[in-house]
Amino acid sequence: MDLPQNVPPVVPTETDVVIIGAGPVGLFAVFELGLLDIKCHLIDILDKIGGQCAELYPEKPIYDIPGLPVVTGQELTDRLLEQIKPFNPTFHLNERVDELTKQADGRFVLKTDVGREFLCKVVVIGAGGGSFTPKRPPLEGIEAYEGSSVHYSVRRMDDFRGKDVLIVGGGDSALDWTLSLQPIAQSLTLLHRRDDFRAAPHSVEKMRELVAAGQMRLMIGQMTSMDGCEGKLEGVTIKTKEGEERIAINAVLPFFGLTMKLGPIANWGLNLEENLIPVDTEKFETSERGIFAIGDINTYPGKLKLILSGFHEAALMAQQAHRYIYPDKKLLFQYTTSSSNLQKKLGVK
Amino acid sequence: MAKITFIQPDGTSQIVEATVGQTVMEVAKLANVPGIEAECGGACACATCHVYVAEGWRDKSGAPSEMEEDMLDFAFDVREESRLGCQIKVTEDLDGLVVQVPAKQF
């Protein structure tokens, strides 16, 4: 067997705790664990920290965080980041945990979609509503073309060289890829449901220049069907104000935003109830010893999907995590207000 | 109080009592109207409470805001009568409102 060259062997990153999900609850878990001298790595599928707060409502107000009468999703994320700074957590963004297994010694091995491995004593699932995944337009038979002709992201630009490309959407992803792929595509069509774009004005302007120069086409309308054979797309039918038109297309990039799906978590052998992870209300531990679930992803009698509930869950989870990570150390309950020991960890003393 | 009629893609309909100040999405969720998902819980952040406002009600229910238009970009089969249920506030004027639930939320 030929082994690939220049591929370093996977050396797992060892840490106390891996937190899956860098939303507000995952971030606060770093704080609670940090006070107990527990080191964390966080893994998130998004390209930014903050989970739903940063992705869905960065500029929208939240009114039910204790002590903060009004705070936006982004501000809350920024404040949590400031609060956990003394504990220096490591973030792995744009990365999804695909596999979680237990070793004979009781430690956990996590494998991500980019081939990274982690070895840790405790896993905290703070994955909210699940992994953010691109929305799939509900066109009949679209699945058959996914991966071959329909792509939800651009992995290699060269895959689009010489193709008849259709990009659908009106945000930055749609416009940025329009501008990047137009020079290498055989033909490029941008389709949006209205002649008004959310994307940055300068990219919209550039796109309009290309349209005016006859180098690409802009259509205002929506896709209604796809046709092709054996997984190879040949055409897309588009409904516009003038009626339906079929255009010859062999690559489509739909950009309809993100939706949340439970994803690989479903395959880890944990008990699930309607895509949520049942936990106890003392430690917020799952059916598997050493794996905890906190925040929107868990369920228990009386559960409320509130950020503040997730904060409470993080604090109690940390107590049990401490027992697993430092089995011989006695846990002394202390207040940050009065404990010089905790204040030293926070860097305020 | 106001009555709102939700029409399903198969033509069946359901009349629901609404309180002034609620949103059409909240009314639908409380009455378990099928086809209104409201994944984000009403933050105008997901487009899964997409509805079509029936002919004759569009002036009273108003036009979508710019933020709502942006969000409608993420809905499927958007038409002139498209709105997000979470952005239509029930008023006395909307007593009798008829909305159609789309075939798919995505």
Side-chain angles (χ1 to χ4, degrees):
Chain A
M1 195 175 104
D2 286 334
L3 284 172
Q5 297 294 307
N6 307 322
V7 179
V10 178
V11 179
T13 305
E14 281 192 47
T15 180
D16 294 328
V17 175
V18 169
I19 301 174
I20 303 172
V25 173
L27 295 177
F28 194 65
V30 173
F31 183 83
E32 290 294 338
L33 291 164
L35 287 179
L36 307 180
D37 302 313
I38 299 170
K39 281 270 167 212
C40 305
H41 280 245
L42 297 97
I43 306 173
D44 200 292
I45 194 164
L46 290 176
D47 59 2
K48 48 179 155 318
I49 297 166
Q52 290 183 49
C53 284
E55 178 63 33
L56 292 182
Y57 45 92
E59 285 157 24
K60 287 174 188 155
I62 309 169
Y63 299 103
D64 60 354
I65 304 296
L68 297 173
V70 55
V71 65
T72 65
Q74 190 56 52
E75 277 174 63
L76 179 64
T77 304
D78 294 343
R79 283 173 175 242
L80 283 163
L81 275 173
E82 191 187 326
Q83 196 167 22
I84 65 174
K85 212 171 170 190
F87 304 115
N88 199 23
T90 312
F91 290 94
H92 306 271
L93 300 175
N94 268 322
E95 208 165 324
R96 187 183 67 198
V97 179
D98 279 346
E99 286 175 41
L100 169 59
T101 47
K102 200 172 196 166
Q103 284 193 157
D105 67 358
R107 289 189 295 173
F108 297 98
V109 180
L110 296 94
K111 290 184 183 161
T112 73
D113 60 345
V114 299
R116 207 193 305 272
E117 285 191 19
F118 293 85
L119 186 58
C120 62
K121 294 170 189 145
V122 163
V123 174
V124 177
I125 305 175
S131 330
F132 276 97
T133 43
K135 276 188 176 185
R136 159 199 282 175
L139 293 179
E140 216 182 298
I142 189 169
E143 302 87 350
Y145 306 115
E146 283 171 352
S148 57
S149 315
V150 175
H151 307 271
Y152 297 101
S153 62
V154 177
R155 292 214 176 248
R156 284 185 323 151
M157 276 177 58
D158 231 30
D159 294 344
F160 298 86
R161 185 176 297 278
K163 295 270 173 74
D164 292 308
V165 180
L166 174 68
I167 295 180
V168 194
D172 282 316
S173 309
L175 270 287
D176 289 350
W177 285 118
T178 294
L179 300 178
S180 305
L181 296 178
Q182 185 276 327
I184 62 169
Q186 162 84 18
S187 74
L188 194 133
T189 307
L190 174 66
L191 171 67
H192 186 42
R193 71 167 186 97
R194 54 184 176 133
D195 199 4
D196 212 344
F197 294 83
R198 305 184 308 282
H202 68 269
S203 15
V204 177
E205 207 173 293
K206 270 193 197 156
M207 177 273 294
R208 292 203 193 277
E209 282 168 18
L210 288 171
V211 173
Q215 289 174 1
M216 62 165 281
R217 186 176 178 194
L218 169 64
M219 291 180 79
I220 304 302
Q222 295 171 79
M223 294 189 286
T224 55
S225 66
M226 290 181 170
D227 61 89
C229 82
E230 288 171 3
K232 276 200 174 148
L233 184 71
E234 290 168 357
V236 175
T237 304
I238 291 163
K239 192 168 87 183
T240 66
K241 272 203 171 127
E242 288 76 46
E244 289 208 335
E245 184 183 339
R246 179 191 176 277
I247 53 173
I249 288 294
N250 48 26
V252 181
L253 277 164
F255 293 111
F256 284 99
L258 302 170
T259 183
M260 288 172 282
K261 292 253 163 25
L262 186 61
I265 293 175
N267 312 324
W268 298 345
L270 298 170
N271 283 348
L272 293 177
E273 273 172 28
E274 291 179 19
N275 281 344
L276 296 169
I277 306 173
V279 290
D280 64 69
T281 50
E282 181 196 341
K283 314 176 298 285
F284 300 93
E285 196 165 19
T286 68
S287 55
E288 182 70 45
R289 187 188 145 99
I291 303 180
F292 298 82
I294 56 175
D296 284 1
I297 193 107
N298 74 13
T299 183
Y300 51 83
K303 167 72 182 182
L304 284 180
K305 287 189 182 184
L306 291 178
I307 294 172
L308 76 93
S309 305
F311 290 166
H312 160 80
E313 294 160 16
L316 269 61
M317 169 280 295
Q319 299 287 306
Q320 184 67 12
H322 182 272
R323 291 184 193 108
Y324 291 150
I325 292 162
Y326 299 112
D328 304 327
K329 268 199 211 169
K330 197 169 176 293
L331 193 55
L332 185 67
F333 180 70
Q334 302 175 90
Y335 291 106
T336 52
T337 312
S338 48
S339 158
S340 56
N341 174 29
L342 294 185
Q343 289 171 2
K344 214 160 93 189
K345 294 178 196 177
L346 289 168
V348 290
K349 202 137 201 195
Chain B
M1 294 295 261
K3 283 192 167 61
I4 300 179
T5 304
F6 292 91
I7 303 176
Q8 293 296 324
D10 65 4
T12 56
S13 66
Q14 186 176 350
I15 300 172
V16 181
E17 289 273 357
T19 308
V20 168
Q22 284 181 313
T23 67
V24 168
M25 179 278 283
E26 288 166 341
V27 174
K29 288 298 277 183
L30 284 170
N32 287 318
V33 174
I36 304 287
E37 289 175 17
E39 212 174 72
C40 79
C44 192
C46 76
T48 58
C49 63
H50 178 204
V51 293
Y52 303 119
V53 175
E55 194 87 55
W57 286 100
R58 280 170 226 159
D59 288 342
K60 280 186 184 158
S61 59
S65 67
E66 202 184 313
M67 178 176 73
E68 189 180 340
E69 282 284 5
D70 284 354
M71 231 359 103
L72 278 167
D73 285 350
F74 299 129
F76 188 72
D77 194 9
V78 180
R79 305 175 194 162
E80 262 184 47
E81 59 270 30
S82 288
R83 290 290 311 269
L84 293 181
C86 71
Q87 301 300 305
I88 308 175
K89 268 239 155 70
V90 177
T91 60
E92 295 288 355
D93 276 358
L94 289 182
D95 185 19
L97 174 71
V98 180
V99 298
Q100 207 188 328
V101 178
K104 279 166 187 163
Q105 304 278 2
F106 93 117

